[in-house]
Amino acid sequence: MDTTDFWNLIDDARSQVTDPADAEAVVERASALLAARPRNEIVAAQQLFWDLMAASYRAPLWAAAYTINGGCSDDGFEYFRGWLIAQGREVFERVVADPDTLAGLPVIRAAAPEGREVECERMLGIAWDAYLAATGEELPGHSFTIDYPALDPEWNFDFDDAERVALRLPKLDALYA
C-alpha cells in the first residue's frame, strides 16, 4: 500500500456511505475495507496515516481548528486532522495548503452557526481497528513512527488573539465572528 492506495481506500469508503460528510461513517467503512486487505497492507496504512498527520501538523491549520472548534488542545488537533483525512485527498491537500479554504466547505458552513465541533477521533484508530478485525490481534506497536515537524514560528501567538487570526484566516474569521 502506498499513499495513492490509502487515499483510494478513503475515497472508496466515502462513495459507499450514505453521507460522505459523516466522518464516523467514512471511518467505519474504510476500516472494514482495510480489514479485507493483507496484514502487511494494514500495517502500511498505519504508517501512511501518521505520515499524513505529520504533513498536516501545521500552525496555520491548528489556528483554523482552534477557530472552528472554539479552542483546540493537542489531542483536539489530532482529532480535527483525523476528520480532515476522512474528507478525502482533494480536500485534505487544499486545506493543508490553505486552511482558510475550510470556510468554503459545506460541513464547516453548517457547523459554524451552531458552534458544532468538527473532529473524528476514531480516524486515529483506523488501522488498529482493521488489524484487530482481520487478525484478532492488536497492531504491532513497533510498526509505525510518528515524526511531527517543528511548527512555523511566525504563527507562535495565542490563537485567542482574534486580530492576528483574522489577518491570517479572514474567511474563517468572518464565518466564526
Side-chain angles (χ1 to χ4, degrees):
M1 174 170 281
D2 63 15
T3 304
T4 299
D5 293 331
F6 182 86
W7 283 121
N8 287 339
L9 176 82
I10 298 300
D11 288 343
D12 289 347
R14 290 177 57 74
S15 73
Q16 294 176 25
V17 297
T18 305
D19 180 8
D22 180 354
E24 296 289 331
V26 172
V27 171
E28 184 176 330
R29 187 65 197 133
S31 185
L33 292 170
L34 185 57
R37 294 185 176 219
R39 285 181 186 215
N40 65 321
E41 289 191 29
I42 300 170
V43 172
Q46 176 72 342
Q47 184 61 60
L48 292 164
F49 171 80
W50 285 103
D51 290 347
L52 292 171
M53 291 289 283
S56 60
Y57 187 76
R58 304 285 184 256
L61 185 59
W62 201 331
Y66 193 97
T67 299
I68 291 166
N69 288 340
C72 191
S73 66
D74 293 352
D75 289 346
F77 189 41
E78 287 193 348
Y79 307 156
F80 179 84
R81 289 178 292 141
W83 168 85
L84 184 58
I85 290 169
Q87 303 312 298
R89 184 178 204 159
E90 186 273 325
V91 169
F92 176 86
E93 290 177 351
R94 179 170 26 102
V95 167
V96 170
D98 181 4
D100 207 27
T101 63
L102 281 159
L105 296 179
V107 67
I108 299 297
R109 298 189 73 73
E114 301 170 12
R116 190 174 64 238
E117 288 191 7
V118 177
E119 60 184 24
C120 186
E121 178 181 1
R122 192 165 174 209
M123 184 56 138
L124 279 63
I126 185 175
W128 287 94
D129 294 344
Y131 197 86
L132 184 61
T135 67
E137 302 170 6
E138 289 189 12
L139 186 72
H142 65 280
S143 60
F144 66 98
T145 58
I146 303 171
D147 188 22
Y148 286 155
L151 290 171
D152 184 344
E154 289 185 25
W155 285 78
N156 188 17
F157 60 86
D158 184 351
F159 295 149
D160 281 322
D161 185 339
E163 196 172 299
R164 288 182 88 173
V165 171
L167 289 172
R168 293 168 185 248
L169 301 169
K171 294 174 190 168
L172 277 174
D173 179 67
L175 189 59
Y176 281 87

